[in-house]
Amino acid sequence: MTERGLSTPAIEKIVQARTAPRPSLWAPGKARKVPEPEARAQALLRRLVYARRIESVPLVKQVRGDIENLTDVDEELQEQLEAAVRHARIWRVEQDEARCKLFAKLNRAVEERKPGRVRRLLLRVNGMAAEDRTDAESAVYERASRYFDSLDDLTRDAVEAEADTEKGARKAAGRVRTVLQRLRGYDAYTFDLRPQVEELLQSAALAGELLTRGEPRRVEVWKKRAARGPQAQLHVARRYWIQRSCPRCNAEQGKDCVLIEGPNRGKPRKDGHNERLQLIQDERIAAQRLARQQQKARQEVEAPAEPTRPASEAPEHEASPTRPVQERPRSGRRGQAHETRKNAAAPPAAPPGAARRLVPNDVPAMPRRTG
């Protein structure tokens, strides 16, 4: 088993056939074109990289021999080819060490009677060391094969179920790495991150021991944050909060906030801390409160004052105007005699157009002039 999948001798032959250059068709009257040494050298370098990627020891050995036999190349390209050959030799030594460890693990799994582990190691041996086995390696492989073939059906079913569980664990480990990659820019558990954190914790429980390279420690950090509960993330435009310094991570004015928790501590944060954004929120609330107070004071000043009146005086709408007393008309002789007396007592009416003559009492007194 390799990173690209299952590798067998048949697959390696197919890969070699596909990577080999196609033979050019012969045409009468035309000479066959021979590739230049530089072009062939570049093709060999690409094949060597591909052989190491699929962990094919025979293909690496073959390409390395072709590179050593290549001539007529310039000095710079020759240095690249020699460096590639040196790296291929080092890789071959590392592969030999890994191969020895692989067969040692397979032999130990057979001695300890662990069918699930034997099955996994047999698959790795078929992909990594399918050819050029030594006598000792062949003996270990035959012994493991006989042991696995001797298992009963019930044990085989249990091994297959374990294999399915392990496959699910590998998928869960992949999901853990994906979610951790998304959460690299956060150091606080907010409501928006709740679905991702829940998926992270569930996948980590299924992955188990397949988590490596500090992943369990990072999962534990998010587990503690989730236990404290999510907090609301304030939303303020960056052009506002960047003008303030952060009281939590001590980021200066004009600098982004940095992570203060977790493995990525010290790296830039995706958004500003709530403590930094809260400063802008407090300023806005204070400005709104001050505006309301000023508006209220302005309305009180512009309101008209009510006129004052004495308490003894009755309101205008309560006082009723006095009406003149009208005498009831009299009838008969008494009424005629009363009208005659009233007309005699009244002064004679002035003729129309006549000017009213002032009496002495109507002229105001002039002040006496002294001196």
Side-chain angles (χ1 to χ4, degrees):
M1 293 297 297
T2 63
E3 296 180 356
R4 299 178 60 87
L6 181 63
S7 178
T8 62
I11 295 178
E12 293 180 1
K13 292 180 181 179
I14 295 174
V15 171
Q16 295 178 10
R18 290 182 177 179
T19 55
R22 295 182 179 180
S24 58
L25 298 177
W26 178 82
K30 293 184 179 180
R32 182 180 179 182
K33 293 183 179 180
V34 179
E36 297 179 358
E38 289 78 7
R40 180 163 176 76
Q42 295 294 341
L44 290 174
L45 289 176
R46 289 193 296 267
R47 288 190 63 188
L48 183 60
V49 172
Y50 179 75
R52 291 181 56 181
R53 184 181 301 171
I54 65 175
E55 298 182 355
S56 177
V57 176
L59 185 57
V60 170
K61 184 178 179 181
Q62 177 186 354
V63 177
R64 190 183 66 180
D66 295 340
I67 292 176
E68 292 176 350
N69 297 330
L70 186 64
T71 57
D72 299 335
V73 295
D74 57 3
E75 183 178 356
E76 183 179 358
L77 188 55
Q78 184 65 34
E79 293 179 358
Q80 295 181 9
L81 294 174
E82 292 176 357
V85 170
R86 288 195 302 269
H87 290 307
R89 289 174 181 172
I90 296 174
W91 179 84
R92 177 64 185 276
V93 173
E94 294 176 351
Q95 289 295 109
D96 292 340
E97 294 178 356
R99 183 168 176 164
C100 293
K101 293 180 180 179
L102 177 61
F103 279 96
K105 291 180 181 178
L106 179 60
N107 190 25
R108 192 181 308 111
V110 174
E111 293 177 353
E112 295 176 356
R113 301 293 179 179
K114 295 182 178 180
R117 187 173 180 81
V118 170
R119 178 185 178 277
R120 293 192 299 270
L121 293 174
L122 282 175
L123 292 175
R124 292 186 58 186
V125 167
N126 290 332
M128 181 178 180
E131 296 180 352
D132 300 333
R133 294 175 186 163
T134 62
D135 296 338
E137 292 175 349
S138 299
V140 173
Y141 183 81
E142 293 295 335
R143 180 185 177 189
S145 299
R146 289 194 301 268
Y147 166 72
F148 191 77
D149 294 339
S150 63
L151 297 175
D152 55 358
D153 295 339
L154 185 61
T155 306
R156 284 177 178 272
D157 294 340
V159 170
E160 294 296 334
E162 183 182 356
D164 294 339
T165 303
E166 185 178 356
K167 184 178 180 180
R170 287 195 297 269
K171 291 183 178 180
R175 290 195 299 269
V176 168
R177 297 183 183 94
T178 302
V179 177
L180 287 177
Q181 185 69 19
R182 297 174 185 170
L183 297 176
R184 291 182 61 182
Y186 301 93
D187 59 353
Y189 178 45
T190 61
F191 290 96
D192 298 337
L193 300 179
R194 178 185 294 179
Q196 301 184 32
V197 174
E198 291 178 354
E199 181 183 2
L200 173 66
L201 300 181
Q202 294 175 2
S203 301
L206 295 176
E209 299 179 356
L210 297 180
L211 301 179
T212 57
R213 298 180 182 179
E215 293 171 351
R217 181 166 54 91
R218 298 171 63 184
V219 172
E220 187 65 24
V221 170
W222 282 106
K223 186 176 181 180
K224 292 180 180 179
R225 294 173 183 171
R228 293 195 295 264
Q231 60 179 358
Q233 174 65 37
L234 300 179
H235 297 284
V236 180
R238 183 179 181 275
R239 62 179 179 273
Y240 298 117
W241 60 260
I242 200 67
Q243 301 176 5
R244 303 288 188 274
S245 59
C246 182
R248 186 174 183 185
C249 65
N250 299 325
E252 299 179 356
Q253 180 181 359
K255 301 292 184 180
D256 290 330
C257 290
V258 297
L259 302 175
I260 60 175
E261 297 180 2
N264 299 324
R265 180 169 43 191
K267 295 184 179 180
R269 197 174 186 269
K270 188 174 182 180
D271 200 353
H273 286 107
N274 277 353
E275 291 79 359
R276 192 174 189 179
L277 275 60
Q278 188 64 43
L279 300 176
I280 309 299
Q281 296 281 9
D282 295 342
E283 290 180 359
R284 292 178 179 178
I285 294 174
Q288 294 175 0
R289 186 182 297 110
L290 179 61
R292 288 195 298 268
Q293 293 177 358
Q294 293 177 353
Q295 183 179 4
K296 183 177 180 181
R298 193 181 303 111
Q299 292 177 355
E300 292 178 355
V301 171
E302 294 178 355
E306 295 183 358
T308 57
R309 60 192 176 191
S312 60
E313 258 186 46
E316 185 177 355
H317 63 276
E318 295 179 2
S320 57
T322 57
R323 297 181 179 179
V325 179
Q326 297 181 357
E327 296 181 359
R328 297 177 62 183
R330 300 180 180 180
S331 59
R333 295 180 180 179
R334 291 183 181 181
Q336 294 178 359
H338 178 74
E339 290 292 335
T340 302
R341 287 194 303 270
K342 183 177 178 181
N343 293 334
R356 182 172 179 269
R357 187 173 53 184
L358 298 175
V359 295
N361 295 335
D362 294 339
V363 179
M366 298 297 293
R368 182 177 296 179
R369 188 173 182 180
T370 59

